[in-house]
Amino acid sequence: MKKQCIVCIALIALLSLVSLPLFSQGAAEAAKPAGPVTVELWYGAAITEAGPPPADWVGFQIIKDKLNIDLKLTALPSNESDQDVKVQAAAAANNLPDLFMVRRDVLTRLVPQGLIASVDDMYAKMPIRTKTHYDEVSRSHARFNGKTYGLADPGSIIKNEGLLVRKDWLDKLGLAVPTTTDELLEVMRAFTFKDPDGNGKNDTYGYGAFQEINNYEAWPGRRLEPIFGAFGVDGTWNMTTAGAGLNLLKPEFYDAMAYLKQMVDEGIIDPNWLAYKKDDFRAAWKQGRFGIMREQNAAFAAQSNYAPFDKNFPNGQWIVIDAPKGPKGKASIGPYTANFRIYAVSAKAEKEGKKDKIAELLEWMASDEGYYLLGWGVEGVNYTKDANGIPVAANLPDANLAFSAPGGQTVTQLRNMVFYNGDIELYARYPKYVTETSKKQMSALDVMREMQTKEWTAAIGSDTLPIPNADLKRFYEQGLSEFITGKRVLNKDNWNKWLDEFKKLGGQDWNDKGVAFAKENNLLN
Amino acid sequence: MAERSKFNQLMRDVKRHRSVYVLLAIPFVYYIIFKYVPIFNGQIAFKDYMALDGVLGSRWLGLEHFKTFVNSYYFVELLRNTLMYSFGKLVFSLPLAIILAISLYESNRPRLSKVVQTLAYLPHFLSWVIMYGILLALLAPGDGILNDIVKLFGGKPIDFLTNTNAFPWIVILSDAWKEMGWSAIIFIAALMGIDPSLFEAALVEGANSWQRVRYITLPSIRPVIVIVVLLRLGTILDAGFNQIFMLYSTPVLSVADIIDTWVYRQGLLEFQFGLATAVGLFKGVIGMFLILGSNRLVKRFGGNSLY
């Protein structure tokens, strides 16, 4: 008995010693160590195929010395769904990092859970960054119930895609650039059946695509928006005051579907388009499988991306064309919205008093030192500046360490956190070059500028409208694809029946909520 | 006193066989951490899980998540597809694996059978991402090798990967191809355990190869077949998420969407962890009842049961 008492007393004493710091908050604050504050950052890698910054990256030491921050980096997966799963799994365990990139859809789910800190007070603490990165549109992008819950940084440049056609094929077949949907059909037929590459084989198609869907570009997605744009129904939502609502519910959507069905039935769209993933599609145009596509400027014209096509077809030539006009004279490459890359601060980080340090870190990133270090690396090692002060990958002691070379790409993985699509970035990112085989002069920047002059549909804010639940989304996408593949017969009767079912399942409610949201937030034009 | 001496005896035994106990500790810790601790978190299947409130603090919802799942628009289709793929894989892959194992065992060219065996289980090590690339090269309607052959004979290309009639076969057969060799290993091991004197006696009696397989080989490995089938029944609602996720596309959702892909979209992507857990629980309970029921049946009919 005596022995048990002694053991109990010893245990209580031990427990008291261990728990003492929990009850002495004031004293603990006063005795806070002056060591660096750890900031855990989950970032979206700028170059997904390159590795993370190495452990001896100079940036870590500079950040520690100047800001007293021990920066811990973790790259998010390149695939958006995988990113969402990683972030949401951490959120479910209440284990979000201090600062992390997050898509807006996910943010809308995390905010009501109380897991995200408001960032309204951070703007004033980051004057340089706020000036270049956060305007009113960006702030409202991540605003919920009057508070901003994410720093919406500039994302990819808007209108950076275009409708491209093989000019060399047009010339060979004596065809003019198509300007209407009828002419487009003729060109697609010729590209499919008249052997435009002259190899004697029936192995080419008119149009190439794959399913690339997002909130504001629903099925069949981005790659076919120029077709739907010709009927005035490109994008998920019509964002005009007169016709606000889901484009799917407009009569013109049926006409656009009938046009696409005709392309499929005649076999003038690459039959692999439903099975292609992004990389398959990109490999296909480089192999000369089709002669018309919607593609992104850099994916088409950046040096490394264009090189395989140049090698395979030294005489090949793609040109950016206007969106074809439809029966009612409408035309559009597709909808565009303001692009943002959101970085959120976790409520846990705020509770641990890290918010000010995070603001300091982001502000430093926007300083000249941070901007160039994160954007291009170390001057003289990863880049030099040309006569105009533009970072270039020339005259370096080790060419493999250039910011654009595999060895140097790792130190620019955080560049998306500092870039704001300024001129310096664009000139540095898209330099002019001469192609290896055909010796053509190319510039992805020139291509982009040309793409931006074409007709686009303003749909600012359409990516912030409500999204359907998973079952409705499936019904929507599956139904449309079944009409196109012939599993459902595409006629007015079937179409209307399917639309009724869609409305009943929640489509009408989704439409009404979207319109109400757009009106409330002044998104209609 | 007696209890103390029993305890001391146990401790002495543990000390004597400590290497075995150290080995036992590894799976023991694994099961505690990854199998038993999560059972506690399984209660979120009945709760409106809020991360800040934690597992214990979240509000009870009762059977709401189960109702959501069962009442979901696609429930019947999801269950049908899941069972179709599970049973399809069982019906096709298992016999193929047994046939492969017996063929390899019966072969009297050991070098050839080794090569075949190696080639047969290599695909098991390929991820479904790579398998998708291979299948696309084989089956794409535009330039797939199979369609090139179809076109050569004047046929019309078939959209195997986006056609609702062809897709289930692609799933089942590609799984059989990928896993057949790996699954055969357990049967090859069972075949190795057959007493060779049985075959010698059969030879003396004049039995041919088919008769040897029918009357010796198959009955000898029947217990292993039964156990493999019973174990597979336990995971009957796991139809192979990785495979379907890689292969499916919108045109084939009606025959491709399975419970796991639905859970991925509805549960994980939409932050409904309670719902995802409820479906996991649902699958586990069904699997458990299937194992218990079939084990009892096998026992009743005198077969070799699992326990």
Side-chain angles (χ1 to χ4, degrees), chain A residues 81 84-85 88-89 91-92 94 109-110 112-115 205 211 219 271-272 274-275 277 280 289 468 470-471 474-475 477-478 481-482 485 487 501 505, chain B residues 49-52 72-74 77-78 132 136 140-143 151 161-162 164 245-246 248-251 253-254 257 262 264-266 268-271 273:
Chain A
S81 298
D84 295 352
V85 170
Q88 295 192 143
N94 193 15
R109 293 179 201 119
L110 301 188
Q113 296 265 334
L115 295 166
Y205 298 96
Q211 298 174 74
W219 203 90
N272 292 351
L274 285 168
K277 312 269 185 218
D280 305 317
R289 278 182 61 84
D471 280 352
R474 179 187 148 175
F475 186 87
E477 292 169 1
Q478 184 187 328
S481 63
E482 284 178 352
T485 54
K487 191 155 191 290
E501 184 71 15
L505 190 60
Chain B
Y49 178 64
M50 297 289 282
L52 273 188
S72 102
Y73 186 78
Y74 290 110
E77 200 176 280
L78 293 169
Y132 178 76
L136 194 64
D143 56 351
K151 281 188 270 184
L161 291 168
T162 52
T164 48
F245 187 68
M246 271 318 297
Y248 80 164
S249 57
T250 41
L253 275 174
S254 61
D257 210 7
W262 184 85
Y264 173 77
R265 292 198 311 273
Q266 194 81 268
L268 300 187
L269 293 183
E270 304 241 328
F271 203 73
F273 285 85

Side-chain angles (χ1 to χ4, degrees), chain B residues 28-41:
Chain B
F28 184 73
V29 169
Y30 168 83
Y31 274 96
I32 292 289
I33 295 174
F34 295 106
K35 301 290 175 189
Y36 286 95
V37 171
I39 291 175
F40 173 79
N41 293 333

Side-chain angles (χ1 to χ4, degrees), chain A residues 18-137:
Chain A
V18 171
S19 58
L20 206 58
L22 295 174
F23 302 102
S24 57
Q25 287 167 355
E29 279 293 319
K32 207 172 179 180
V37 174
T38 301
V39 171
E40 197 186 352
L41 165 63
W42 287 6
Y43 66 97
I47 308 118
T48 51
E49 58 270 34
D56 62 350
W57 176 47
V58 64
F60 290 127
Q61 200 55 49
I62 293 172
I63 290 167
K64 193 176 273 182
D65 293 345
K66 295 204 165 169
L67 308 171
N68 200 27
I69 289 174
D70 188 8
L71 187 64
K72 304 275 182 213
L73 293 178
T74 303
L76 283 165
S78 59
N79 178 294
E80 281 189 348
S81 298
D82 294 344
Q83 270 175 27
D84 295 352
V85 170
K86 184 173 170 74
V87 169
Q88 295 192 143
N94 193 15
N95 198 24
L96 283 168
D98 303 312
L99 179 65
F100 59 101
M101 192 176 84
V102 59
R103 288 196 318 120
R104 194 180 180 282
D105 298 356
V106 177
L107 195 65
T108 57
R109 293 179 201 119
L110 301 188
V111 169
Q113 296 265 334
L115 295 166
I116 308 295
S118 157
V119 294
D120 286 308
D121 56 330
M122 290 177 75
Y123 295 116
K125 293 169 189 163
M126 308 184 292
I128 303 172
R129 189 177 185 90
T130 299
K131 198 175 165 190
T132 48
H133 284 236
Y134 312 121
D135 58 12
E136 184 43 37
V137 181

Side-chain angles (χ1 to χ4, degrees), chain A residues 301-320:
Chain A
Q303 191 165 3
S304 56
N305 295 330
Y306 189 76
F309 177 79
D310 185 57
K311 195 177 170 192
N312 292 337
F313 306 98
N315 298 320
Q317 189 193 0
W318 290 95
I319 55 166
V320 180

Side-chain angles (χ1 to χ4, degrees), chain B residues 17 73 87 119 122 179 182 202 230 236 273 280 292 299 306:
Chain B
H17 303 295
Y73 186 78
F87 280 112
L119 287 176
L122 271 182
E179 299 301 335
W182 191 253
L230 284 177
I236 201 73
F273 285 85
L292 292 176
K299 232 176 184 175
L306 200 56

